Amino acid sequence: MTETIFPKDFLWGGATAANQIEGAYNEGGKGLSVHDVMPDGLMTPPVDAPTPDNLKLDAIKFYDNYKEDIKLFAEMGFKVLRISIGWSRIFPNGDDLEPNEEGLQFYDNVFDELAKYNIEPLVTLSHYEPPLNLAHQYDGWLNREVIGFFERYVETVAKRYKDKVKYWLTFNEVNAILSAPQNSAIFTPKEELSEGQLWQAAHHQLVASASATKIIHEINSDAQVGCMVLAMPFYPMTPNPKDVLAVRDAENNNNAFTDIHVRGEYPGYLKRKLREMGVEIEFGEGDAEMLKEHTVDFISFSYYVSLATAANPEEYDSGQGNVFAGVKNPYLKASEWGWQIDPEGLRIVLNQFWDKYQLPLFIVENGLGAKDELVEGENGELTVHDDYRIQYMSEHLVQVGEAIQDGVDVMGYTSWGPIDLVSMSTAQMSKRYGFIYVDRNDDGTGSFARYKKDSFAWYQNVIETNGESLFEK
Ligand code: BGP
């Protein structure tokens, strides 16, 4: 192939999470995870026990259909598939002493299936699905003891999959713990939590992330471990320096997490913020050394929206994201769920990360949640004409190409939900991201059959041409 903008070993693929695709919530020895009792995602508080209206209990039945689904990913030419390991499949209660062999076997099967097609797994250790028991017995990551349970889980899977998995991510969107603590098994309502408690829980995850990095590196020195943050550029509403400072403040809330993962210590602006809030983080023995000595190999992030902000945000309309909100940007259009669409924002974020850290970057989530209509195609097959999704993704990928030309080191791109899955924040099926349509509706009806959308062939062509098709007029 002639020289292309995207590097020749660029990792093209898609990204998923166990609780949003697998289903089989009580099969194979799996324990309940927090989303098994969150029938409305983040919209309403968790309930006591699984209820039939919770679409995640069956999700899209990847647990049963993984071979068929991986075959479709291979047909698109995927080089990588991001999955998460359901922690409660391996340690049903989180605090068990021994792992569940059936759960371990399931991921062995998935990795073996991927290997058949030379698809690299990219594995998230914790994607918003900690065992429910950790919420009930410990209030999740608020409790330092959970670090030890997580380490046991990480050691188990890192050993088991040593020869099958090279790329690992520790916590999905680790910075989101401040906004959506229930995803970290903290069921005390957010209104009742102090800033100090939220940052202490974040500290526990940061230490656990460094410890996971250490464990994985010790078990396999070729493995690469990345942090995963929810990335989002903020823009000032005006050139007023006060608004520009408000942007720095908003961005630093996210930057703190990458700074600690990459530089191994709390940055000055965070120390100051905590001091001014009267918060003193309790560092356990060895925490500072753990953070310092076990930094990450690369940075991965999700990117869906940018937000604007101002020194006086209450004077403007608010903008949306699934876990963060800000001021609405008058220059951007929004998705049907109100998320503002900003392809250039992706180039900006890539450049910001690269300028700050000079570490390889991996875009591990990006995509458009939209309502799709299943229609009859030219040859009588069922399909979706999702030109809106193709447009969204082309525009974003072109900006990735721009960033690469700016000199940014980008390892890969995994679009969110390459196959329709259950939404994290709203728990809907109708918020579809996939290249593959799954016949399942918000009321739970549907055959679970898979159909290729127009975007399927489009992405296949993008991968086949290593991105060059994006630039053809
Ligand atoms: C990210 C999560 C994913 C995913 C995505 C889309 O924050 O890491 O799990 O779901 O957002 O959000 P939603 O599913 O709410 O549309």
Side-chain angles (χ1 to χ4, degrees):
M1 197 191 279
T2 50
E3 187 98 354
T4 54
I5 290 173
F6 287 81
K8 64 176 186 328
D9 53 356
F10 193 78
L11 291 165
W12 295 98
T16 63
N19 73 95
Q20 293 173 263
I21 59 167
E22 286 178 4
Y25 80 103
N26 60 357
E27 288 172 43
K30 177 181 168 293
L32 294 178
S33 86
V34 294
H35 269 273
D36 292 333
V37 295
M38 291 166 65
D40 302 317
L42 298 180
M43 314 299 278
T44 57
V47 294
D48 293 336
T51 48
D53 61 332
N54 185 344
L55 293 183
K56 291 209 175 146
L57 304 184
D58 291 323
I60 59 157
K61 292 189 187 279
F62 178 80
Y63 189 77
D64 304 306
N65 281 284
Y66 70 92
K67 288 191 178 164
E68 186 199 334
D69 294 339
I70 290 172
K71 190 162 178 235
L72 287 167
F73 299 147
E75 196 182 324
M76 274 188 278
F78 278 24
K79 314 280 184 228
V80 63
L81 181 71
R82 178 177 174 220
I83 63 161
S84 67
I85 295 179
W87 183 355
S88 68
R89 245 184 225 298
I90 311 301
F91 286 95
N93 302 297
D95 57 0
D96 320 69
L97 294 176
E98 295 302 326
N100 167 35
E101 174 56 31
E102 231 183 305
L104 288 166
Q105 188 58 52
F106 169 67
Y107 295 104
D108 264 321
N109 298 344
V110 171
F111 297 140
D112 292 346
E113 199 62 24
L114 289 171
K116 277 192 200 164
Y117 301 101
N118 289 321
I119 300 176
E120 278 292 341
L122 166 65
V123 176
T124 319
L125 289 160
S126 185
H127 193 129
Y128 294 157
E129 54 216 344
L132 179 63
N133 180 56
L134 296 182
H136 290 160
Q137 301 296 324
Y138 303 88
D139 219 358
W141 283 95
L142 267 186
N143 191 322
R144 192 176 168 97
E145 248 187 288
V146 172
I147 301 178
F149 304 142
F150 183 71
E151 288 170 333
R152 188 181 300 152
Y153 156 64
V154 174
E155 191 173 338
T156 304
V157 295
K159 278 193 181 142
R160 175 80 170 218
Y161 307 125
K162 175 169 151 327
D163 300 320
K164 299 186 180 180
V165 178
K166 178 172 172 200
Y167 299 104
W168 297 89
L169 306 179
T170 54
F171 290 91
N172 181 64
E173 300 189 331
V174 61
N175 45 333
I177 189 173
L178 302 176
S179 316
Q182 61 276 53
N183 281 341
S184 292
I186 302 171
F187 279 8
T188 298
K190 193 171 163 231
E191 319 73 73
E192 293 170 27
L193 293 166
S194 65
E195 288 279 346
Q197 285 176 300
L198 287 169
W199 279 101
Q200 186 66 45
H203 175 76
H204 295 151
Q205 280 193 350
L206 288 160
V207 172
S209 181
S211 177
T213 307
K214 172 175 189 270
I215 293 168
I216 294 169
H217 282 153
E218 280 170 2
I219 291 170
N220 177 5
S221 55
D222 288 335
Q224 293 197 31
V225 186
C227 57
M228 196 299 198
V229 293
L230 190 165
M232 183 184 290
F234 281 85
Y235 305 130
M237 283 304 275
T238 74
N240 183 334
K242 292 194 169 47
D243 284 355
V244 177
L245 274 174
V247 164
R248 281 197 77 82
D249 258 6
E251 289 190 333
N252 276 348
N253 243 350
N254 293 335
N255 287 340
F257 289 81
T258 25
D259 276 353
I260 295 168
H261 271 102
V262 175
R263 298 182 175 140
E265 57 192 31
Y266 277 51
Y269 59 80
L270 177 60
K271 287 190 196 154
R272 175 182 181 165
K273 178 185 163 119
L274 295 171
R275 202 165 52 237
E276 288 177 355
M277 289 190 305
V279 169
E280 197 166 332
I281 303 285
E282 264 177 58
F283 269 61
E285 210 190 310
D287 283 7
E289 295 73 20
M290 182 66 85
L291 294 176
K292 191 71 201 167
E293 284 161 27
H294 303 286
T295 54
V296 289
D297 303 310
F298 65 95
I299 297 168
S300 82
F301 63 90
S302 61
Y303 175 78
Y304 294 93
V305 295
S306 62
L307 287 171
T309 196
N312 48 354
E314 58 296 341
E315 287 178 15
Y316 302 96
D317 289 341
S318 62
Q320 291 290 318
N322 57 356
V323 286
F324 286 115
V327 168
K328 191 168 170 185
N329 186 332
Y331 295 95
L332 301 175
K333 295 207 182 78
S335 78
E336 290 169 84
W337 276 264
W339 295 17
Q340 291 202 296
I341 300 172
D342 179 13
E344 276 91 358
L346 180 51
R347 177 178 178 184
I348 292 169
V349 153
L350 282 162
N351 272 282
Q352 285 175 338
F353 277 135
W354 179 247
D355 289 347
K356 251 167 106 62
Y357 305 116
Q358 311 264 295
L359 272 190
L361 302 173
F362 205 150
I363 303 146
V364 297
E365 279 188 36
N366 172 240
L368 177 70
K371 288 194 179 128
D372 286 339
E373 195 192 347
L374 198 61
V375 295
E376 202 164 303
E378 272 170 25
N379 307 316
E381 77 295 357
L382 289 175
T383 186
V384 175
H385 299 310
D386 56 345
D387 43 314
Y388 38 91
R389 182 168 292 109
I390 294 173
Q391 185 186 347
Y392 176 102
M393 298 196 64
S394 309
E395 288 174 359
H396 282 76
L397 282 168
V398 163
Q399 294 302 321
V400 177
E402 294 291 340
I404 292 171
Q405 294 176 85
D406 294 334
V408 181
D409 181 356
V410 189
M411 297 164 68
Y413 174 93
T414 57
S415 74
W416 177 248
I419 183 166
D420 292 343
L421 39 66
V422 185
S423 150
M424 183 278 287
S425 60
T426 65
Q428 292 168 298
M429 249 336 277
S430 56
K431 191 178 189 191
R432 296 174 181 276
Y433 286 89
F435 307 117
I436 301 163
Y437 184 94
V438 177
D439 179 21
R440 194 174 192 216
N441 307 306
D442 285 346
D443 62 6
T445 57
S447 64
F448 291 90
R450 275 67 166 147
Y451 301 101
K452 297 173 191 171
K453 305 181 193 177
D454 286 351
S455 54
F456 186 99
W458 168 82
Y459 198 45
Q460 186 179 46
N461 191 36
V462 170
I463 298 177
E464 203 181 314
T465 61
N466 201 32
E468 286 304 285
S469 61
L470 297 161
F471 303 96
E472 280 160 16
K473 286 283 166 257

